[in-house]
């Protein structure tokens, strides 16, 4: 499974579309981590066949039908998607890590900081992946997440 992961588009829908076009629209789903939900309408219009999983961020006002976090299971891997503002990620990851352990997830995809982050942590025999694709608006970065045979691989990409 291949996912394109975006966060913090802040009124830059063309940047999301450019990244999706770079992958020729070939992905199993788009994951949006908040702060720019309105920007997704352009992608939905051009690629209606691509499912979009989304959470709202602190700037996504008026989207009462969109959750602030979701947990999904793909190929046996539990993934928490969140914007990150409720976990204070601009000041460190400890709160997010404890929350991930409490929720028993294998990976957390988050945004809010606008800075890409790829970390793999180990707690006893449990692996936890933290992944932030950065801001598609300010940094031009997004994530590509591949899952195969119960293994999750994250990569940060950049639009050009």
């Amino acid at each position: 499974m291949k996912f394109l992961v975006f966060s913090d588009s802040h009124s830059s829908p063309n940047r999301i579309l450019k990244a999706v076009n770079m992958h020729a629209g070939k992905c199993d789903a788009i994951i949006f981590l908040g702060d720019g939900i309105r920007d997704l309408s352009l992608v939905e219009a051009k690629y209606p066949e691509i499912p979009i999983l989304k959470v709202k961020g602190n700037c996504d006002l008026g989207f009462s039908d969109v959750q602030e976090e979701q947990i999904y299971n793909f190929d046996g891997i539990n993934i928490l998607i969140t914007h990150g503002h409720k976990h204070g990620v601009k000041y460190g990851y400890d709160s997010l890590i404890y929350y991930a352990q409490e929720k028993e997830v294998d990976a957390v995809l988050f945004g809010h900081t606008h800075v890409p982050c790829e970390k793999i942590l180990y707690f006893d025999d449990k692996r936890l992946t933290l992944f932030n694709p950065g801001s598609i608006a300010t940094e031009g970065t997004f994530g590509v997440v591949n899952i195969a045979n119960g293994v999750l691989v994250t990569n940060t990409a950049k639009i050009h």
Side-chain angles (χ1 to χ4, degrees), residues 111 135 155:
S135 170
N155 292 290

Side-chain angles (χ1 to χ4, degrees), residues 34-152:
D35 280 3
I37 287 178
R38 284 184 178 84
D39 299 339
L40 297 173
S41 59
L42 188 61
V43 176
E44 290 170 324
K46 182 160 183 185
Y47 294 103
E49 72 281 6
I50 301 176
I52 298 178
L53 312 175
K54 60 190 171 205
V55 292
K56 64 182 171 182
N58 57 301
C59 294
D60 291 318
L61 306 176
F63 287 91
S64 59
D65 59 327
V66 180
Q67 300 295 313
E68 290 184 329
E69 67 180 38
Q70 294 284 341
I71 296 176
Y72 294 95
N73 184 291
F74 301 106
D75 197 19
I77 297 174
N78 290 319
I79 300 174
L80 167 67
I81 67 170
T82 183
H83 185 60
H85 64 291
K86 297 272 184 170
H87 301 284
V89 296
K90 284 189 177 180
Y91 308 103
Y93 304 134
D94 288 348
S95 175
L96 185 63
I97 291 166
Y98 294 135
Y99 187 72
Q101 291 176 309
E102 179 183 301
K103 293 294 184 180
E104 298 182 351
V105 297
D106 304 296
V108 181
L109 307 182
F110 67 100
H112 191 56
T113 66
H114 293 205
V115 179
C117 166
E118 296 179 71
K119 290 187 181 295
I120 298 174
L121 308 168
Y122 292 92
F123 302 96
D124 297 322
D125 61 346
K126 181 88 168 141
R127 173 182 159 144
L128 175 64
T129 300
L130 298 180
F131 182 65
N132 181 336
S135 170
I136 189 71
T138 60
E139 305 299 319
T141 56
F142 64 99
V144 180
V145 173
N146 289 288
I147 299 173
N149 302 316
V151 177
L152 177 138

